[in-house]
């Protein structure tokens, strides 16, 4: 049996000096508490080691940021070379211009880019740009969708006033009729519509956009003069290098990126079309570290390496191999599962009505045998995952399915 | 004459692909546009070099983050050693607990800490904690005070709805009577009062707290059961290692830090007293890079070095030397100036009614001769500024005062 002793000793220490111990999406209480680690000691490529020395093939990738491997030599070399010159200073470095030009060259809809630190920074900024562009206030979003911790969108409303959420209208994902009705009833007030490229909420199977859904949103925004915003913070640079909606041949007006852009270095970006640029310059957007150069150098090295190695295709291939293997095993052990999401950002749940116990047991056995999955949140494949990683993973998952079958039938 | 040719070529390129070229507080249009640089190539200790190769003794310190010298060997070594192990991952590393414990040990009012990336992250979080703690909604702040880009507080309201600012009440800085009246009229609704340790708005002389002002705020918050929040993002770790209000022997309930905490590495923190901890755990707070370990290692190395070298005292000493020299020169050239703010975070304006022309001319001559001041925004001293730096600076400012006297009388 693996020991997580040091993890839980540290978690006790954390709980004394940090509200919630580890608050937010990384809370170990959202994993299989007691049977999964709480703290990480080391990460390299597609593997991580917890503070008790247990090694894992990692399928969370830092909840998305790691896309071509932890501690990637080219990315780290670029960041270090830049930080030796200048990182945070009074003014940006040339990297600032280079990265904006790089994104404009890479992303079909992008005529400009602007940089922040958090995904929340740019999703909130995009809403302000939409308001500045249209002179209207309402933002339309999907019920339950996560766009960060901005007061306007957060579903955990402790400390949020009702007024802060008053300008948001919600509809159900993929409900084209409901969306059209909401728009009809409010069209003179709507500044923008914000969507993730597919629905990827925690504690839910992922859902791909229904036929005609994205096209309807695009056409409707054109009709009423509203701004179509894509929150590509989680999915960006895993489905397509030019923004995830390129997979569906639909063109939004603004796209928000973060996570994978710097392979773990802290950076976010909003890009947009030329028609949005004036409005974008009117919405005030600044922060102490928004122009820091080392994460920009890291981002350029990440994009270069991804293009040079066709990293997105690697992630689709590895993701397909994992999916095929897991679905075969589910069949063999007579487990009905839902395997959802695009191959590089998959999620598997057990299609039973008895809650999450099978998912937790499955993940518990995986932690025990050295594979890091998440019971409640979508997973992430990286381009650093090798075929050998997937093979080893499938040996582990075979044992995990077997345990689920044995203990729960 | 110094050339800024490459800076302005790059700014033209930036303007094509970034709304506003360089948006926000670092816009070169807020310096002496045409006579000051737009992009930085290198930074070391207290000196910076722009992209045209011009060297400056720097008095902006990245608008605050640099506190013990750019590219500090101990800070960079700590960050690099940590990033080789793990930076952004699925869970935090042990550094996360260590830094929280370090801040709790260092800051008298702190029984806990929580981490973000931007100053805005933690000022906005602190308001949510105050609401969670009190069950009330109103936040009291100083008219014109800058607490980041959160919708609730931002004075640039493009893209912000009136409702997003509806729960904020404002009073004039140091107006004890006005503050007391505002509280009396709203006391059942007030969740918290947020203040910077002194008033340090751009385009204004800085103002220190009036006698009894901070004590009144503390006593009033106690009376009505509201939370006293200090926004120490800009001043933190320059006036006192234990939070700037320690200088005044006043104890807030929550303190927000960022900028200097990591000597340029991106991190922010909110710390608070034990009585706030339950509420702090209820307000949802998370971000993709909030638990990244390299900036935490950098922060601990920064705090260690500051304590070992008495960095705050060095900044007061250097700041006093600069202040004495500048005031002597102002006298000698018959220029009436206002020299305001604490010694490590000073600001000098020309006390005339003809706008900012003297400040701009003064700064222009300083840029030309290799000293980086700001005409409109407070300056920052660091512990890397040597007596030799100050001496050289005063030679430059002598010439700058002379030019102001010659051209403007």
């Amino acid at each position: 049996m693996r020991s997580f002793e040091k993890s839980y000793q540290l978690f006790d220490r954390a709980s004394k000096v940090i509200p919630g111990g580890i608050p937010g999406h990384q809370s170990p209480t959202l994993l299989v508490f007691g049977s999964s680690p709480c703290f990480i000691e080391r990460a390299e490529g597609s593997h991580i080691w917890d503070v008790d020395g247990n090694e894992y093939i990692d399928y969370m990738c830092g909840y998305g940021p790691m896309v071509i491997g932890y501690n990637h030599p080219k990315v780290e070399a670029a960041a270090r070379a830049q930080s030796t010159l200048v990182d945070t200073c009074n003014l940006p470095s040339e990297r600032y211009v280079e990265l904006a030009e790089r994104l404009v060259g890479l992303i079909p809809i992008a005529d400009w880019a602007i940089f922040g630190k958090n995904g929340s920074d740019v999703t909130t900024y995009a809403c302000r740009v939409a308001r500045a562009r249209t002179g209207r206030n309402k933002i339309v979003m999907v019920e339950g969708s996560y766009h960060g911790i901005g007061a306007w969108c957060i579903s955990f409303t402790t400390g949020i006033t009702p007024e802060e959420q008053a300008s948001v209208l919600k509809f159900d994902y993929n409900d084209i009729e409901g969306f059209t009705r909401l728009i009809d009833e409010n069209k003179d007030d709507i500044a923008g519509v914000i969507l993730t490229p597919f629905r990827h909420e925690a504690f839910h199977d992922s859902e791909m956009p229904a036929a005609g859904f994205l096209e309807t949103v695009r056409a409707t925004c054109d009709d009423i003069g509203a701004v179509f915003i894509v929150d590509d913070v989680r999915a960006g640079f895993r489905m397509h290098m030019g923004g995830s909606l390129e997979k569906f041949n639909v063109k939004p007006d603004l796209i928000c990126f973060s996570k994978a852009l710097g392979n773990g270095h802290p950076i976010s970006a909003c890009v947009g079309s030329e028609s949005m640029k004036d409005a974008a310059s009117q919405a005030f957007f600044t922060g102490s570290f928004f122009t820091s150069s080392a994460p920009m150098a890291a981002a350029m090295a990440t994009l270069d390496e991804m293009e040079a190695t066709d990293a997105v295709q690697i992630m689709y291939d590895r993701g397909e191999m994992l999916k095929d293997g897991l679905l075969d095993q589910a069949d063999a052990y007579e487990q009905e599962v839902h395997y959802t999401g695009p191959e590089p950002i998959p999620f598997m749940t057990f299609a039973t009505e008895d809650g999450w116990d099978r998912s937790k047991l499955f993940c518990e056995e995986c932690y025990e045998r050295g594979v890091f999955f998440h019971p409640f949140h979508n997973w992430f494949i990286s381009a650093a995952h090798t075929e050998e990683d997937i093979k080893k993973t499938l040996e582990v998952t075979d044992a995990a399915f077997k345990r689920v079958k044995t203990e729960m039938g």
Side-chain angles (χ1 to χ4, degrees), chain A:
Chain A
M1 287 283 288
R2 289 188 163 198
S3 163
F4 302 108
E5 190 181 347
K6 190 171 177 195
S7 261
Y8 287 89
Q9 283 171 355
L10 269 177
F11 189 69
D12 282 345
R13 274 171 61 192
S15 299
K16 290 191 176 73
V17 291
I18 301 163
I22 303 173
H25 69 286
Q26 293 176 318
S27 173
T29 63
L30 298 175
L31 298 171
V32 186
F33 198 65
S35 304
S36 51
C38 309
F39 290 89
I40 302 298
E41 178 70 25
R42 189 158 83 81
E44 189 81 28
S46 58
H47 290 234
I48 61 176
W49 289 259
D50 70 23
V51 290
D52 288 283
N54 303 306
E55 181 176 356
Y56 308 85
I57 302 171
D58 176 33
Y59 290 95
M60 288 309 290
C61 299
Y63 289 78
M66 186 282 272
V67 69
I68 54 172
Y70 291 110
N71 200 19
H72 191 282
K74 289 183 186 171
V75 176
E76 295 312 301
R80 282 162 202 200
Q82 182 57 47
S83 71
T84 303
L85 288 172
V86 64
D87 185 17
T88 302
C89 199
N90 306 348
L91 293 158
S93 77
E94 194 166 353
R95 301 299 87 68
Y96 178 73
V97 186
E98 291 169 348
L99 180 58
E101 290 174 342
R102 184 82 170 84
L103 291 175
V104 166
L106 183 66
I107 298 157
I109 73 118
D111 295 309
W112 54 264
I114 198 167
F115 303 107
K117 285 288 113 181
N118 303 311
S120 298
D121 297 341
V122 285
T123 54
T124 299
Y125 170 74
C127 294
R128 294 179 189 177
V129 173
R131 292 189 183 124
R133 166 74 181 162
T134 58
R136 308 172 193 160
N137 275 348
K138 299 285 187 195
I139 301 294
V140 174
M141 64 176 272
V142 170
E143 181 70 47
S145 197
Y146 184 76
H147 298 296
I149 61 167
W152 61 278
C153 62
I154 195 169
S155 60
F156 307 91
T157 54
T158 301
I160 310 294
T161 69
E163 292 78 10
E164 288 178 308
Q165 304 200 326
S167 64
V168 172
L169 302 171
K170 297 183 181 179
F171 69 102
D172 291 330
Y173 190 69
N174 272 340
D175 177 4
I176 296 178
E177 199 181 316
F179 171 75
T180 307
R181 193 168 53 241
L182 184 69
I183 296 288
D184 280 347
E185 291 166 2
N186 298 278
K187 61 184 163 192
D188 295 338
D189 300 325
I190 292 170
V193 179
I194 186 166
L195 293 181
T196 53
F198 66 99
R199 184 163 158 76
H200 49 47
E201 260 46 69
F203 297 97
H204 284 280
D205 292 329
S206 292
E207 291 177 69
M208 299 309 286
F213 175 59
L214 295 174
E215 292 78 1
T216 300
V217 172
R218 175 68 277 176
T220 304
C221 285
D222 287 340
D223 280 352
I224 65 167
V227 176
F228 184 4
I229 305 163
V230 167
D231 173 355
D232 223 349
V233 169
R234 197 181 299 181
F237 305 109
R238 274 193 161 81
M239 296 174 68
H240 196 286
M241 292 301 287
S244 300
L245 254 57
E246 288 295 312
K247 280 298 258 194
F248 309 102
N249 285 310
V250 174
K251 309 285 185 193
D253 300 305
L254 299 172
I255 311 177
C256 303
F257 295 106
S258 180
K259 292 191 182 283
L261 176 55
N263 197 47
H265 289 262
I267 188 165
S268 62
C270 179
V271 306
S273 64
E274 190 61 35
S275 63
M276 301 290 135
K277 197 178 172 200
D278 273 357
S281 69
Q282 290 160 33
F284 191 68
F285 191 61
T286 201
S288 298
F289 309 110
F290 280 15
T291 66
S292 300
S293 292
M296 296 184 179
M300 283 188 284
T302 302
L303 297 174
D304 288 351
E305 182 70 3
M306 291 190 77
E307 287 202 307
T309 59
D310 203 355
V312 169
Q313 188 57 52
I314 293 172
M315 289 187 277
Y316 270 95
D317 291 346
R318 299 291 180 275
E320 194 178 356
M321 188 177 163
L322 180 68
K323 177 182 183 172
D324 291 346
L326 286 171
L327 289 177
D328 282 351
Q329 292 173 349
D331 258 3
Y333 290 102
E334 297 171 300
Q335 301 295 309
E336 195 184 337
V337 301
H338 292 165
Y339 200 96
T340 55
E343 282 76 1
I345 314 165
F347 190 34
M348 187 182 80
T349 61
F350 287 81
T352 58
E353 287 172 9
D354 54 359
W356 295 87
D357 287 348
R358 279 171 202 263
S359 293
K360 286 163 73 174
L361 189 61
F362 180 87
C363 286
E364 182 182 322
E365 190 64 22
C366 288
Y367 299 129
E368 180 63 31
R369 292 172 180 268
V371 171
F372 198 114
F373 283 124
H374 199 300
F376 312 123
H377 188 291
N378 71 258
W379 310 336
F380 297 88
I381 311 286
S382 81
H385 285 87
T386 61
E387 292 189 7
E388 188 60 26
D389 283 332
I390 309 291
K391 274 184 211 157
K392 284 188 187 167
T393 298
L394 290 171
E395 290 169 21
V396 166
T397 55
D398 189 84
F401 272 118
K402 187 174 183 178
R403 182 165 171 205
V404 171
K405 175 74 179 170
T406 305
E407 295 190 20
M408 303 186 72

